[in-house]
């Protein structure tokens, strides 16, 4: 905030507020933007009532972090019942063996039968324990307000701990499990996430699924571009189709190049 002017004319704004007056803001991108790096924002600008809140912990707070995402891309997929992924599923079904085609036909049929239910979505990430640890926290992203969530941690296909809750605001959340989940070196453990919202809304899962290039005007990097590339493998992320969990790589990555869900687990080494 560089200053203010109670008499700044409201007529200067493309979307005209009800009264004069504005804040003078210095942007963080340099003098190439706006008016030598400065811009005016009306006192009545609605976005001034929005905010982002960060609550962080020191580096090394957790002994381990299990994740498959790691880029700056920030996309989401909605419940497949909307039919938004039907074309992808169909493409995959045409490029696999007979058994795979039949399975994908069954998946498509289930999605077709429940297409109207876009308010609930469920997925999981499966990890391999790198050591003898206690899994204490899980994290995820929600794009929706007023979201109910359920986190279940399973070890070697056996449910070990479940946490439910309600989130008023969208954002990135880290949740502490009621009890830590014990894993041994080499164990396969899964963190599943179920999100549900008002039946009139569509819920989305955050994904790490594309290569994103961003201009780096104030940063010296190769070709003046920051490149974030997402890479996926089979049997990492899974999508629940209403009856069973289906490998998200088969549903998405073989056509888009990558697909993982932003679901993480945090542990303490024993």
């Amino acid at each position: 905030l560089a200053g203010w002017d109670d008499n700044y004319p409201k007529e200067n704004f493309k979307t005209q507020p009800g009264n004069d007056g504005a804040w003078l803001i210095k942007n963080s991108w340099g003098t190439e933007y706006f008016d030598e790096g400065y811009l005016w924002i009306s006192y009545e600008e609605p976005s001034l009532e929005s905010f982002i809140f960060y609550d962080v912990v020191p580096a090394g707070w957790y002994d381990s972090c299990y994740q498959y995402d790691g880029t700056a891309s920030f996309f989401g997929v909605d419940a497949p019942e909307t039919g938004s992924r039907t074309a992808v599923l169909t493409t995959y079904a045409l490029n696999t063996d007979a058994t795979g085609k039949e399975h994908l036909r069954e998946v498509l049929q289930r999605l077709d039968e429940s297409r109207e239910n876009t308010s609930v979505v469920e997925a999981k990430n499966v990890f391999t324990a790198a050591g003898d640890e206690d899994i204490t926290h899980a994290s995820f992203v929600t794009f929706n307000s007023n979201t109910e969530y359920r986190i279940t941690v399973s070890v070697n296909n056996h449910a070990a701990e479940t946490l439910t809750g309600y989130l008023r605001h969208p954002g990135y959340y880290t949740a502490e499990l009621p009890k830590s989940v014990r894993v041994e070196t080499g164990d396969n453990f899964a963190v599943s996430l179920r999100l549900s919202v008002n039946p009139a809304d569509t819920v989305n899962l955050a994904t790490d699924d594309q290569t994103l290039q961003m201009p780096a005007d104030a940063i010296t990097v190769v070709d003046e571009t920051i490149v974030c590339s997402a890479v996926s493998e089979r049997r990492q992320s899974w999508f629940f189709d209403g009856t069973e969990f289906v490998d998200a790589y088969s549903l998405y990555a073989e056509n888009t190049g990558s697909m993982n869900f932003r679901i993480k687990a945090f542990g303490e080494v024993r």
Side-chain angles (χ1 to χ4, degrees), residues 6-68:
D6 293 339
N7 299 311
Y8 188 84
K10 62 183 180 182
E11 289 79 13
N12 287 352
F13 294 106
K14 184 176 181 179
T15 301
Q16 194 173 122
N19 300 283
D20 293 340
W23 302 106
L24 179 61
I25 304 298
K26 181 180 180 181
N27 85 94
S28 61
W29 298 342
T31 58
E32 298 178 5
Y33 295 88
F34 308 108
D35 185 4
E36 296 296 320
Y38 292 87
L39 69 154
W40 291 95
I41 297 181
S42 168
Y43 290 157
E44 299 176 10
E45 167 59 42
S47 65
L48 293 178
E49 298 181 3
S50 302
F51 64 93
I52 297 175
F53 172 74
Y54 291 98
D55 186 11
V56 299
V57 297
W61 187 266
Y62 305 104
D63 291 333
S64 59
C65 172
Y66 291 90
Q67 63 177 4
Y68 293 124

Side-chain angles (χ1 to χ4, degrees), residues 68 70-71 73 208-212 228-232 257-260:
Y68 293 124
T71 76
S73 62
D208 184 54
D209 62 351
Q210 295 189 26
T211 296
L212 178 69
C228 299
S229 297
V231 178
S232 303
S258 59
M259 159 55 94
N260 283 117

Side-chain angles (χ1 to χ4, degrees), residues 76-143:
V77 294
D78 54 14
E81 290 84 358
T82 62
S84 63
R85 295 307 188 207
T86 298
V88 173
L89 289 167
T90 303
T91 300
Y92 174 72
L94 295 174
N95 290 279
T96 188
D97 58 25
T99 302
K101 287 181 180 179
E102 182 59 31
H103 180 232
L104 264 296
R105 288 193 189 98
E106 294 174 0
V107 172
L108 284 170
Q109 183 176 355
R110 287 197 293 270
L111 299 183
D112 216 30
E113 291 172 352
S114 57
R115 183 171 294 175
E116 294 182 359
N117 180 20
T118 63
S119 63
V120 179
V121 69
E122 185 172 357
K124 68 179 180 181
N125 279 350
V126 178
F127 306 103
T128 300
D132 297 343
E133 301 180 46
D134 294 322
I135 304 302
T136 60
H137 295 73
S139 69
F140 61 95
V141 175
T142 173
F143 297 110

Side-chain angles (χ1 to χ4, degrees), residues 200-215:
D201 297 331
T202 296
V203 65
N204 283 267
L205 281 166
T207 64
D208 184 54
D209 62 351
Q210 295 189 26
T211 296
L212 178 69
Q213 294 190 354
M214 301 177 292

Side-chain angles (χ1 to χ4, degrees), residues 235-257:
R235 306 184 68 80
Q236 292 180 336
S237 293
W238 301 74
F239 205 109
F240 189 68
D241 70 358
T243 299
E244 64 177 336
F245 280 100
V246 181
D247 190 346
Y249 187 97
S250 299
L251 300 184
Y252 303 92
E254 290 195 349
N255 297 277
T256 65

Side-chain angles (χ1 to χ4, degrees), residues 147-165:
T147 302
E148 293 182 355
Y149 69 88
R150 184 185 70 204
I151 297 170
T152 301
V153 179
S154 303
V155 181
N156 297 326
N157 294 320
H158 297 287
E161 195 64 39
T162 297
L163 172 67
T164 60

Side-chain angles (χ1 to χ4, degrees), residues 160-172:
E161 195 64 39
T162 297
L163 172 67
T164 60
Y166 169 82
L167 300 171
R168 182 179 177 186
H169 302 292
Y172 171 80

